[in-house]
Amino acid sequence: MTLLSWIAVAVIFVTIWALIKRWETRLVLIAAGLFLCIISLDPMMGLNQFAKSMTNNSLIMAICGSMGFAFTATYTQCDRSLVHYLAAPIRGLGLFLVPVSTVITFFVNIAIPSAAGCAAAVGSTLIPLMLRAGIKPAAAAAAVLAGTIGSYLSPGTSHNPFVAKMAGMDVMEFIGTHTYYSLMCGAILVVGTAVVCFLMGDGKGDTNAQVDETKIKNEDFTPNPLKALVPLVPITILVVGNVWLPVIKMGVAQAMVLGAVITLLLSFAVDRTDPQEFSKRFFNGMGKGYADVMGIIIAAGVFAAGLRATGLIDTFVDVLKHSNDIARWGGSLGPWIMGTITGSGDAATM
């Protein structure tokens, strides 16, 4: 390796150290990338990559559209209605609430790709339910957290359009390719979480424990069966259009906007939802998606440009061409380790 490549390796370790210290992720990645481009005497490479990532059509449409829809589903409490009706049949299952709650969270996370938004919607119903059944708080939290990988099957999660673009595939085609693997990962988490909770005795909590649900959920919430169906509209349109009915085939952003329109019409008919506030929430969600998710993708692109400028990426690619085993293990363990120490799955993956 050249001297520039060794400097790039040192910068990687400094970057990891800064992320462990919880410095602002986007700042760290952009600063490291621009530094590497400058010492490689090609500062425009990083700046050009920044500009290119800002206008990545497929990513912006999928991510911002999905986040906008997720915000409207939360504002109208459609997500909580969905969770309410999914949770209704499982009361009284005892420790079996843990795997069932994980399954429910998994499928809700497909409709609501934001892990935080999904956990908030599911947790407000399922966590008090598990606590009342005597399940310890740590087990209840683990059951919900384990299910938040359901977004693997959502076209709105940032990873799917990002990798699909790299592979030159349609987003739904890409999701169809890895569906079986993702379902297998979900099944392992469902069984694994339940077994650990059983072995740890997490189902032997205080069944008479008082749960202060006012800290978790609003008292004015009233579930509605029609509103419960709304979060499923975009994903249903995308699946049906791509698999069975090509005449309604459309992009992720179009499906999310159509879902938002249906949400507004239904919510206005049921609750007289304010269309102006609804519109603000939708565009706030889009902005949040660009700032938080696209921001990391843009920053990671600049960092990668810096690594390319030093020649380090070419060196590693050459090594990986001669060792598929290293590529397979590194592709799984590398992002896992980075996600653990940085706290950001998006940053690690990108």
Side-chain angles (χ1 to χ4, degrees):
M1 293 201 309
T2 65
L3 176 61
L4 278 177
S5 295
W6 284 113
I7 293 176
V9 171
V11 170
I12 289 175
F13 282 106
V14 173
T15 301
I16 293 174
W17 173 83
L19 293 174
I20 293 174
K21 289 291 186 179
R22 299 205 176 277
W23 290 11
E24 213 285 320
T25 304
R26 290 160 294 190
L27 173 64
V28 171
L29 293 175
I30 291 176
L34 289 178
F35 171 76
L36 291 175
C37 288
I38 290 172
I39 64 172
S40 301
L41 303 180
D42 191 4
M44 289 304 299
M45 187 172 184
L47 297 176
N48 289 337
Q49 181 60 49
F50 185 95
K52 181 181 178 181
S53 299
M54 285 181 66
T55 56
N56 193 321
N57 293 339
S58 59
L59 288 179
I60 293 173
M61 289 190 293
I63 293 170
C64 294
S66 299
M67 287 295 288
F69 175 75
F71 268 51
T72 60
T74 300
Y75 169 61
T76 56
Q77 297 190 328
C78 291
D79 53 357
R80 290 184 59 186
S81 288
L82 172 63
V83 175
H84 173 84
Y85 287 107
L86 288 175
I90 68 174
R91 302 177 190 275
L93 290 181
L95 186 59
F96 288 102
L97 275 171
V98 170
V100 174
S101 295
T102 302
V103 171
I104 290 176
T105 306
F106 184 93
F107 285 104
V108 171
N109 200 200
I110 298 175
I112 306 172
S114 166
C118 173
V122 172
S124 65
T125 299
L126 293 184
I127 288 180
L129 191 63
M130 285 187 277
L131 295 181
R132 280 197 299 267
I135 296 170
K136 293 180 180 178
V144 172
L145 178 63
T148 56
I149 68 161
S151 61
Y152 288 179
L153 300 178
S154 171
T157 190
S158 60
H159 302 171
N160 283 327
F162 185 80
V163 180
K165 181 176 177 62
M166 292 176 64
M169 300 171 66
D170 177 74
V171 176
M172 295 306 296
E173 179 189 359
F174 173 70
I175 292 174
T177 301
H178 70 72
T179 291
Y180 297 111
Y181 300 99
S182 298
L183 290 175
M184 182 173 64
C185 290
I188 291 172
L189 275 171
V190 169
V191 175
T193 305
V195 169
V196 171
C197 290
F198 175 78
L199 295 177
M200 298 292 291
D202 287 331
K204 300 177 181 178
D206 183 6
T207 56
N208 296 317
Q210 297 295 317
V211 180
D212 186 4
E213 298 184 30
T214 59
K215 295 182 178 179
I216 305 174
K217 57 199 297 187
N218 298 324
E219 295 298 329
D220 61 351
F221 170 65
T222 302
N224 182 289
L226 291 177
K227 291 172 68 173
L229 297 176
V230 167
L232 304 177
V233 169
I235 192 67
T236 301
I237 293 173
L238 289 169
V239 172
V240 172
N242 280 272
V243 179
W244 297 296
L245 199 60
V247 70
I248 66 168
K249 183 176 181 180
M250 62 182 70
V252 176
Q254 292 88 329
M256 295 300 169
V257 171
L258 182 56
V261 171
I262 294 173
T263 302
L264 175 58
L265 294 175
L266 180 60
S267 298
F268 182 79
V270 174
D271 300 326
R272 291 294 184 268
T273 298
D274 182 2
Q276 297 187 83
E277 183 61 26
F278 184 93
S279 176
K280 291 178 182 178
R281 297 297 180 106
F282 181 81
F283 286 102
N284 283 342
M286 289 183 62
K288 184 78 170 173
Y290 195 96
D292 289 355
V293 183
M294 280 301 301
I296 289 180
I297 293 174
I298 292 169
V302 176
F303 183 57
L307 296 178
R308 280 197 303 274
T310 61
L312 183 64
I313 286 184
D314 291 336
T315 300
F316 278 128
V317 167
D318 188 60
V319 172
L320 293 178
K321 283 180 180 177
H322 300 89
S323 180
N324 288 333
D325 289 334
I326 294 178
R328 279 196 291 266
W329 284 100
S332 297
L333 295 179
W336 182 83
I337 293 171
M338 284 295 294
T340 300
I341 62 178
T342 65
S344 171
D346 285 331
T349 303
M350 303 315 167

